[in-house]
Amino acid sequence: MPREKPSEPYPLKLTELQRESVLRCTDLTTTLTWKLRNAGKGTHVVDVTREELDQLEEEVGYAASYVRHPHKGRLVAVLHKVENLTFEGDEALAGQKAPRAATTPPKEGDLLYQFKITLRDIKPPIWRRIQIPDSTLADLHDYIQAAFGWDDYHMHQFEIGGQYYGPPSEEFGLGDEMLDEAAVLISDLIPTSNRKTRWIYEYDFGDGWRHEIVFEGFPSADPKVKYPVCVDGKRACPPEDCGGPWGYVEYLAAVTDPKHEQHDDVLEWRGPFDPEAFDAEKATTAMRGVE
């Protein structure tokens, strides 16, 4: 997640049919709708802001999960274009790239996947970088919970390429739009081009903790290391049930300021809290404890 969103426009190249599907299947701001409608016939570049790019990612990703062809195929193509532009903008703004990881799988040895997982809508960012063997999405859910320090009290889902994945539930069921996360492997979801790709993992639908999962490549396996591993990260996981990203801001204001009117209440609720605390070794130990 970038520290700030750049003011330069993002050149989003869309076909006329892709723009038509976006306009028909999503609910966009008036300004963004105007830009898409007035782009003209044929394929054109539409200059969008970072906020509009984020909106497109969320709206198009959601719509692609339930619409039918031909709109579904067009929206998935738009989603890939939006993701690529976001990657480029984030890396340029950060001024650095992820630790070196091969873009093609190794021919020999154990295959590992490297992901960077970042909580959205929080500044400064809270994130973890993990290396894991091929696993199901259900396993990835467990690894994320352990690496961040969540307690797995609430429901969750993955949004990947316009499709939703989640756990079976006798109470809610998977539904027509949800696939079983325990039945799909990470290796089945990585693009055949092995390009960087972005997924969304949402935890606690009430608080709305949305995590951005970026596939960064295939790191070399160290025969002396037991996997999975949390290789890096920043900052403590927010407390459960604190109200999502916006509630977390209010919680931090109260817990870090002894003069705040709610300071004593939040201390009694959760005790002391250091928002900068993070230990990669402890996160790794927690990940290896996943059953």
Side-chain angles (χ1 to χ4, degrees), residues 126-130 146-149 229-237 274-287:
I126 300 170
W127 59 273
R128 307 288 184 261
R129 176 170 284 116
I130 63 175
F148 271 83
V229 171
C230 180
V231 295
D232 200 4
K234 289 289 185 182
R235 301 178 183 86
C237 180
D274 179 2
E276 295 298 318
F278 170 70
D279 188 322
E281 291 186 4
K282 288 183 179 179
T284 294
T285 299
M287 290 176 66

Side-chain angles (χ1 to χ4, degrees), residues 1-6 50 89-96 116 118 122-125 127 235:
M1 184 181 294
R3 291 184 295 273
E4 296 178 1
K5 296 183 178 181
R50 176 53 190 268
D90 286 357
E91 288 188 341
L93 191 61
Q96 59 182 11
K116 182 179 180 182
T118 306
I122 291 183
K123 295 180 181 179
W127 59 273
R235 301 178 183 86

Side-chain angles (χ1 to χ4, degrees), residues 81-263:
K81 293 181 179 182
V82 169
E83 289 173 344
N84 288 337
L85 279 179
T86 306
F87 280 135
E88 294 169 5
D90 286 357
E91 288 188 341
L93 191 61
Q96 59 182 11
K97 296 188 177 182
R100 190 175 185 83
T103 56
T104 56
K107 296 181 179 180
E108 298 181 359
D110 296 328
L111 182 61
L112 294 175
Y113 297 83
Q114 181 167 297
F115 294 97
K116 182 179 180 182
I117 304 129
T118 306
L119 263 175
R120 296 184 119 185
D121 302 313
I122 291 183
K123 295 180 181 179
I126 300 170
W127 59 273
R128 307 288 184 261
R129 176 170 284 116
I130 63 175
Q131 295 177 351
I132 62 176
D134 195 13
S135 312
T136 66
L137 282 181
D139 294 327
L140 179 57
H141 156 71
D142 290 335
Y143 291 145
I144 294 173
Q145 288 282 312
F148 271 83
W150 295 118
D151 295 322
D152 203 6
Y153 289 157
H154 304 283
M155 296 181 66
H156 69 275
Q157 66 183 11
F158 291 89
E159 301 172 31
I160 301 174
Q163 178 63 60
Y164 285 83
Y165 301 83
S169 169
E170 294 182 2
E171 181 179 358
F172 297 99
L174 284 174
D176 295 336
E177 299 172 5
M178 184 84 74
L179 298 181
D180 186 354
E181 65 183 6
V184 60
L185 292 169
I186 290 171
S187 54
D188 296 329
L189 297 169
I190 298 299
T192 54
S193 63
N194 297 321
R195 65 173 173 80
K196 277 190 173 182
T197 188
R198 293 154 59 100
W199 303 341
I200 296 296
Y201 167 77
E202 184 172 2
Y203 171 62
D204 186 352
F205 300 158
D207 277 7
W209 298 109
R210 289 173 65 82
H211 305 66
E212 177 183 270
I213 304 174
V214 175
F215 167 64
E216 295 185 325
F218 304 96
S220 300
D222 185 339
K224 299 179 181 179
V225 174
K226 178 182 177 182
Y227 295 92
V229 171
C230 180
V231 295
D232 200 4
K234 289 289 185 182
R235 301 178 183 86
C237 180
E240 295 273 4
D241 303 318
C242 70
W246 297 271
Y248 180 57
V249 172
E250 297 177 358
Y251 167 79
L252 279 184
V255 78
T256 57
D257 182 3
K259 296 181 180 180
H260 195 284
E261 61 181 0
Q262 295 182 338
H263 180 72

